[in-house]
Amino acid sequence: MSSRVSQNATKSPDPYELERLAEELAARELAGSNYTPRTTASTELPIYVPLSHDNPHLTAEVFNVEEFLLSRSHTSLQDLRSELRDYLTSLKEELVMLINDDYEAFISLSTDLRGEGSRLEKLKLPLDDLRKRISESRAGLQATQDSIQETLDARTKLREEKALLHLLLKISESVTRLESLLLISQVPTSSLESHNNNYQFHLPTSAGQPIDAKSQGNRAKHLSRVTAEYTQLLYHIEKAKEDHCAFVDEIRWRIDRIQSTLTSDLDHVFSAILSSLTDIKAGKVLDQERAKLYVDLTECLRIYDSLHLWKVAEEIMRRDVMQAFIKKTIFPDALDASLSPVLPHTPLPTALSTRTESHGSALLPRTPYTPFTAFATKQNPFEASHVSGPVHLLDESNDALAKLYNQILRFIERDFGRIMELAERVSLKAGSTNLQLTLALGNYDLGEAQQASAGGFEIMTNVVWAEIGRAIMDELGNVVFAPGNPNEFRKHHSTTQAFIRSLEFLAPSTHSVQNMRSHPVFTAFQRRWQLPVYFQLRWKEVITKLEETLSSRILDPEAPNFTPGRDVFVTAQAADVFTSIASCWSAEGYIPDLAHRFWKFTLQLLSRYREWLESSLPPAGGSPVKSAANITNEKASSIANISRSSTPGLTQEATTESTAADEILLRQFATALVDIRAMTSQVLQLWREEISKMLPDTSIEDDTAEVLEVALRTQLEQLSALSTSLCSQATSILSRRCCDALSPVRSIPSQFRAMSNKRLPSEPSYFTPTILRPVRIFFGIGAVGGPGERLKEELLKDVSTDVVECVCQRYIQYLTAMKKTEESLRRLKKGKKSTLSIFGSATAGKDDGKDEERIRAQMILDVKAFKTECEALGVDMQSLDSFMVLDQMVRAESVDGDL
């Protein structure tokens, strides 16, 4: 090592680094005390840190050997081993010192506890005496506590018995008071059988007859007070029954008698009030008296509601008022007999009666946007008072069933409108206290009517509709529900549904309407409508007429349209199909409950029309000439026996037949295209204006309307798919006919060479205006009555572009063939000129050059005229590559064989 340093020192020019030392000395003199000597990394020495308990590598949870060795990398392995041994020795010494210190403390502990046992024995002696005295004190206190508790229990029992006695006294006094209020005779015996035979009621013998208004009002108030007392009695009895009192069982027969008497009196008063309000024969009732009667009626309804006897009140209204009216109004011959008018309690003003008549429904509109609506109103009927406006009547002109329904509606509005409103108010007002009243009544038996009650008055459901629906089904079911005549059945159904809607608007709340629709009579009434039978009759009626029209498999555009004044469709078949679809959704045949059947039938009709088109049109891959000839044979018998030449090739007669066949095919295709497009647009318009609004309401989440529209558009797309094939076939025929008109192009060279007049042409060829004549004739351009005249706006440009493309390609083929022919002739002439002649050889060469120039000029005029004809049809000639190639070919210079 030292030898290497000495060698480096001898090799360097400054082995002792004198220059560096001189620089440091100068810098130290300049900097003074702030000087810090310059050090390099090579002069820094590692700091030695001995091993201790603070070393992070020794205190880590997991000892990492590699990290520890790296941290002591400046120490050799021998020095590290010595250092570790020294650290181990220090650890052992510390452990020994710790053990010695703890042992010394343990030994001193036993020395310190010496003599403590005797002192603990001295402290234990007085504890037994103390425990004995505490036990004696506790026993004395427990005896005193038990004595006090027995006294308190006895007092509590006496207090409860006293409260029970007070309760029994209240019950006895309440029973006595109720018997006194109800004028029930007091009987000494307590036998239930003996007292049931001795009921003496206070009601007069004229029960059920109208009574004096003043006494009637007093009786209603009196019964209200009795009911309050009776409700309190029931509450007390329920509390007494919890203690199993025999006294309650003893007076049970008296309570039953009170209940029977109370309900009997209440029924009599309620029936008398109803008779006074509904019996017009009793004479006019003044408004003031009527108001008092309604007050008494409200009091009776409140009593029924508090006793939960809703069914009893409904039964009285049904028996005394509703059944009598139904018996004299709805009977088997009710539709044939003249109905007596229902007179109002007070005459209506003239303006009001006029408004009533104006609310009758007129003839059904083309589109019933709100089916079964018998009136036009924007007001919520449940927010309006039932007495503030007239009843919504039906149109009864020439309709006996509507007259019957109107009579029922007038009766319901007159006699039950105000009663239903009052009953609804009573039920709503008492709704908050029903829980307390139920608790008060408990499980006390108030009769089967109370047990069967649903919890409130349902007059519209259980009184009005139950009787009306049952009577219509029993008495008029054979007439109203008979599906034999579809028109009459539809009329009866729409009238009845409008009557139900008007009846629902007389209901006091939407809850009453829901209960009415869920009533068993309503369910049975709706099931009586034989709607599937009606649909089958309508289906048979539509299909019979339609199949008779579709039996002809020939698309005959010349047949007169069976719908006068309607030129949307060309053929009678398409018009019949659309008429059948429209009849499904017309006001005269549509029923909302059959919407799903009519919708399916609509899709089936569209599918049937598509099938008829496919079977009536010639196949796309077949011979159109043959199909057209067959059609011609069916239409004209003179063409059926056309004689055919045995030699191959088309004769003049065959060419005429082919042209006639093409004309028929084009008329067929145009007719089908017009009808398909008209069918698509008309059905979509019918969907937007009528069908989408007539379908039953669906959930927003279901998106049923979107699904139905997608199904309809899918069916129409399948129908429209035929138009693509038809348009392609029509374009093919027009292209072929236009290309046939281009055939005279091939004779232009021979024509100019045979001409004696060698002047340049100034007009296009005679055949140029005839090239696109089939297209113009097809679309009715320059003529009247073209088969595709109604398709001009939609298909003229596209069809003309395809036809011009095909004609340009054929034109190019002809020019190419002519060019090859001319080149062959030119080579042949050059071969003949090898033998020189003194007769006019130069003149013949000049004439050939002039002929080619005239031919090229004629070609340019023809192509220019053809371009003008095409642009007149709306074709963009600049965008056609084939025409650009054609134009370049005819305008090319005559260089080495150009025309």
Side-chain angles (χ1 to χ4, degrees):
M1 183 73 177
S2 60
S3 62
R4 289 181 182 179
V5 173
S6 61
Q7 290 177 4
N8 292 335
T10 56
K11 290 180 182 180
S12 61
D14 189 6
Y16 300 103
E17 297 183 357
L18 297 177
E19 294 181 359
R20 182 178 64 80
L21 293 175
E23 290 176 358
E24 290 183 358
L25 181 60
R28 183 181 303 172
E29 292 176 354
L30 293 175
S33 61
N34 295 327
Y35 174 75
T36 54
R38 184 177 61 182
T39 60
T40 58
S42 60
T43 59
E44 293 180 358
L45 296 176
I47 301 174
Y48 174 75
V49 180
L51 293 176
S52 64
H53 299 318
D54 297 333
N55 193 312
H57 300 285
L58 297 178
T59 57
E61 295 181 0
V62 179
F63 180 71
N64 194 329
V65 179
E66 295 179 356
E67 293 182 358
F68 177 75
L69 292 177
L70 290 175
S71 64
R72 317 291 290 186
S73 59
H74 58 278
T75 306
S76 62
L77 292 178
Q78 292 80 3
D79 296 340
L80 182 61
R81 182 175 59 184
S82 301
E83 188 176 359
L84 289 174
R85 287 177 178 176
D86 295 341
Y87 183 66
L88 178 62
T89 303
S90 64
L91 287 177
K92 289 181 178 179
E93 291 176 356
E94 291 180 3
L95 179 61
V96 171
M97 292 177 63
L98 181 62
I99 292 174
N100 291 334
D101 293 341
D102 292 342
Y103 182 77
E104 183 180 356
F106 178 73
I107 295 300
S108 63
L109 177 63
S110 61
T111 305
D112 295 339
L113 293 177
R114 186 177 300 171
E116 293 294 330
S118 60
R119 285 190 293 175
L120 290 176
E121 289 295 333
K122 293 178 181 180
L123 293 174
K124 185 178 179 182
L125 293 176
L127 291 179
D128 294 336
D129 185 37
L130 182 60
R131 183 183 295 109
K132 183 177 179 181
R133 284 187 291 177
I134 290 174
S135 299
E136 292 176 356
S137 299
R138 180 180 298 173
L141 290 174
Q142 186 64 37
T144 305
Q145 183 179 356
D146 294 341
S147 175
I148 294 174
Q149 186 63 39
E150 290 178 359
T151 305
L152 293 176
D153 293 341
R155 290 185 178 183
T156 302
K157 187 176 182 180
L158 290 176
R159 189 182 299 109
E160 292 176 354
E161 290 179 356
K162 181 179 180 180
L164 180 60
L165 289 176
H166 281 292
L167 179 63
L168 296 179
L169 288 175
K170 289 181 181 179
I171 293 174
S172 178
E173 292 175 357
S174 181
V175 169
T176 304
R177 190 182 305 111
L178 285 172
E179 290 177 343
S180 175
L181 290 173
L182 295 175
L183 301 181
I184 300 176
S185 61
Q186 302 292 332
V187 184
T189 178
S190 61
S191 175
L192 178 62
E193 292 78 3
S194 61
H195 288 291
N196 284 337
N197 297 327
N198 290 289
Y199 282 165
Q200 297 179 7
F201 303 120
H202 68 286
L203 295 176
T205 56
S206 59
Q209 300 295 330
I211 59 179
D212 181 70
K214 184 176 181 180
S215 61
Q216 185 172 264
N218 295 333
R219 289 301 303 160
K221 295 178 181 179
H222 176 75
L223 289 176
S224 179
R225 291 193 294 269
V226 172
T227 303
E229 184 70 24
Y230 179 70
T231 304
Q232 186 178 5
L233 172 64
L234 293 180
Y235 174 74
H236 291 159
I237 289 175
E238 190 66 25
K239 291 185 65 177
K241 287 175 63 177
E242 296 177 358
D243 296 331
H244 306 287
C245 295
F247 177 75
V248 176
D249 298 332
E250 290 293 330
I251 64 172
R252 182 64 178 268
W253 64 273
R254 298 174 66 185
I255 300 173
D256 293 339
R257 184 173 63 174
I258 290 172
Q259 179 211 346
S260 177
T261 305
L262 176 60
T263 54
S264 177
D265 291 359
L266 180 60
D267 294 347
H268 169 74
V269 173
F270 185 64
S271 177
I273 294 174
L274 287 177
S275 300
S276 300
L277 287 173
T278 59
D279 189 6
I280 297 182
K281 295 181 180 180
K284 277 190 174 183
V285 181
L286 298 178
D287 294 340
Q288 186 177 2
E289 296 177 357
R290 182 174 296 278
K292 293 181 179 179
L293 288 175
Y294 278 122
V295 171
D296 297 338
L297 180 69
T298 305
E299 198 68 37
C300 292
L301 292 175
R302 190 177 293 112
I303 295 173
Y304 278 118
D305 185 75
S306 63
L307 295 177
H308 293 185
L309 297 177
W310 306 290
K311 294 291 183 181
V312 175
E314 293 169 358
E315 178 64 27
I316 293 173
M317 287 185 281
R318 181 169 57 247
R319 180 194 63 203
D320 295 347
V321 182
M322 197 66 198
Q323 287 182 354
F325 173 77
I326 291 298
K327 287 181 181 179
K328 67 180 181 180
T329 304
I330 302 178
F331 49 92
D333 297 331
L335 299 181
D336 299 330
S338 59
L339 300 176
S340 59
V342 176
L343 299 178
H345 293 297
T346 56
L348 292 175
T350 305
L352 189 58
S353 60
T354 304
R355 186 171 56 163
T356 303
E357 296 176 359
S358 65
H359 275 273
S361 62
L363 294 176
L364 288 173
R366 174 66 182 86
T367 304
Y369 293 103
T370 54
F372 312 136
T373 301
F375 51 88
T377 179
K378 294 183 179 179
Q379 182 184 12
N380 187 355
F382 301 118
E383 296 177 357
S385 176
H386 290 276
V387 297
S388 61
V391 62
H392 305 291
L393 301 178
L394 311 179
D395 181 17
E396 58 184 28
S397 57
N398 300 325
D399 192 348
L401 185 61
K403 293 180 181 179
L404 177 65
Y405 288 156
N406 284 341
Q407 187 177 11
I408 297 174
L409 289 173
R410 292 189 184 96
F411 170 78
I412 299 303
E413 193 273 338
R414 187 196 68 181
D415 290 350
F416 281 95
R418 184 68 182 277
I419 295 176
M420 289 189 292
E421 182 182 2
L422 295 175
E424 186 71 17
R425 291 179 181 177
V426 168
S427 298
L428 292 177
K429 186 179 295 185
S432 60
T433 58
N434 278 342
L435 182 61
Q436 291 80 356
L437 291 177
T438 303
L439 181 61
L441 295 175
N443 296 325
Y444 196 76
D445 186 12
L446 294 177
E448 296 180 357
Q450 185 270 341
Q451 297 296 333
S453 174
F457 291 104
E458 292 296 339
I459 300 176
M460 174 59 74
T461 302
N462 299 326
V463 179
V464 176
W465 172 249
E467 290 296 325
I468 294 175
R470 193 178 293 111
I472 292 175
M473 288 189 293
D474 295 342
E475 304 295 338
L476 301 177
N478 295 332
V479 178
V480 175
F481 302 103
N485 188 341
N487 294 328
E488 288 294 327
F489 180 85
R490 170 67 178 82
K491 184 178 179 181
H492 290 165
H493 184 271
S494 62
T495 304
T496 304
Q497 296 298 329
F499 164 70
I500 293 175
R501 181 66 61 86
S502 297
L503 199 62
E504 289 176 351
F505 278 118
L506 290 176
S509 65
T510 55
H511 179 69
S512 299
V513 175
Q514 294 174 357
N515 290 338
M516 172 182 165
R517 294 179 180 178
S518 61
H519 197 270
V521 175
F522 188 88
T523 305
F525 187 87
Q526 294 295 341
R527 289 179 179 175
R528 285 291 300 272
W529 297 105
Q530 302 181 39
L531 296 181
V533 178
Y534 168 76
F535 176 78
Q536 290 296 328
L537 295 175
R538 288 295 187 189
W539 180 88
K540 183 178 180 181
E541 178 183 349
V542 172
I543 288 298
T544 302
K545 296 180 181 178
L546 182 61
E547 288 298 330
E548 183 179 355
T549 306
L550 297 180
S551 60
S552 176
R553 295 287 180 176
I554 302 175
L555 267 174
D556 189 2
E558 298 179 358
N561 197 329
F562 79 104
T563 307
R566 186 173 184 178
D567 56 351
V568 178
F569 298 98
V570 180
T571 61
Q573 289 84 357
D576 269 352
V577 170
F578 180 74
T579 303
S580 301
I581 294 174
S583 65
C584 295
W585 305 97
S586 64
E588 293 75 15
Y590 175 71
I591 294 179
D593 293 337
L594 294 174
H596 62 290
R597 293 177 180 266
F598 282 118
W599 176 253
K600 182 179 179 180
F601 188 37
T602 299
L603 299 180
Q604 290 175 345
L605 289 174
L606 291 174
S607 177
R608 179 68 181 90
Y609 178 62
R610 178 172 56 84
E611 178 187 353
W612 178 81
L613 280 178
E614 291 175 348
S615 61
S616 300
L617 292 170
S623 174
V625 177
K626 183 177 179 180
S627 302
N630 293 337
I631 297 172
T632 308
N633 293 340
E634 293 181 7
K635 294 182 61 180
S637 59
S638 61
I639 307 178
N641 298 322
I642 296 178
S643 60
R644 299 182 179 180
S645 175
S646 60
T647 59
L650 292 175
T651 63
Q652 181 67 26
E653 190 174 355
T655 304
T656 305
E657 179 185 352
S658 176
T659 303
D662 289 344
E663 292 291 341
I664 294 176
L665 280 178
L666 288 176
R667 293 185 68 87
Q668 280 188 326
F669 294 153
T671 300
L673 286 172
V674 171
D675 284 347
I676 288 174
R677 294 176 183 273
M679 182 69 69
T680 302
S681 62
Q682 291 296 315
V683 171
L684 289 177
Q685 182 180 0
L686 184 67
W687 162 262
R688 290 189 300 268
E689 296 180 357
E690 300 186 14
I691 299 178
S692 61
K693 297 179 176 61
M694 297 170 65
L695 291 174
D697 295 335
T698 55
S699 176
I700 300 177
E701 299 179 356
D702 294 341
D703 296 333
T704 307
E706 296 181 2
V707 174
L708 296 179
E709 185 176 1
V710 169
L712 179 63
R713 291 187 179 276
T714 302
Q715 192 68 33
L716 291 176
E717 287 174 359
Q718 294 178 1
L719 182 62
S720 300
L722 294 175
S723 62
T724 305
S725 175
L726 297 177
C727 186
S728 169
Q729 296 183 57
T731 304
S732 176
I733 295 175
L734 292 175
S735 300
R736 176 166 53 81
R737 296 187 64 183
C738 292
C739 289
D740 292 343
L742 195 64
S743 299
V745 173
R746 295 176 294 182
S747 63
I748 290 179
S750 60
Q751 178 183 355
F752 274 92
R753 287 190 176 90
M755 290 177 59
S756 59
N757 188 2
K758 301 298 183 180
R759 63 182 178 84
L760 289 175
S762 59
E763 297 180 354
S765 301
Y766 69 93
F767 62 85
T768 303
T770 63
I771 295 177
L772 297 178
R773 182 181 296 172
V775 178
R776 292 195 298 269
I777 294 176
F778 178 76
F779 288 105
I781 300 175
V784 180
E789 184 176 1
R790 296 170 60 177
L791 301 171
K792 185 188 305 182
E793 296 181 359
E794 300 176 1
L795 299 179
L796 175 60
K797 184 176 180 180
D798 296 336
V799 173
S800 299
T801 302
D802 294 340
V803 171
V804 170
E805 179 74 21
C806 184
V807 171
C808 289
Q809 293 176 1
R810 182 66 61 87
Y811 213 143
I812 293 172
Q813 293 176 5
Y814 286 162
L815 292 181
T816 304
M818 292 165 58
K819 179 179 178 181
K820 293 180 180 178
T821 303
E822 291 299 325
E823 289 178 352
S824 299
L825 290 175
R826 187 177 294 110
R827 286 194 299 269
L828 180 61
K829 289 180 180 180
K830 287 182 179 180
K832 291 182 179 181
K833 288 179 181 179
S834 59
T835 305
L836 297 177
S837 175
I838 60 173
F839 298 101
S841 59
T843 304
K846 293 180 180 179
D847 291 339
D848 291 339
K850 292 181 179 179
D851 290 341
E852 293 175 358
E853 184 179 355
R854 286 194 297 270
I855 293 172
R856 184 171 63 254
Q858 185 64 50
M859 291 290 186
I860 292 173
L861 291 175
D862 292 346
V863 171
K864 186 182 297 184
F866 176 68
K867 178 181 179 182
T868 304
E869 294 285 340
C870 295
E871 290 177 347
L873 296 178
V875 181
D876 185 8
M877 302 301 293
Q878 300 300 326
S879 62
L880 292 180
D881 297 335
S882 58
F883 176 77
M884 301 305 295
V885 173
L886 174 64
D887 189 56
Q888 292 176 4
M889 289 182 66
V890 298
R891 292 182 183 276
E893 295 293 337
S894 178
V895 178
D896 192 20
D898 284 272
L899 295 179

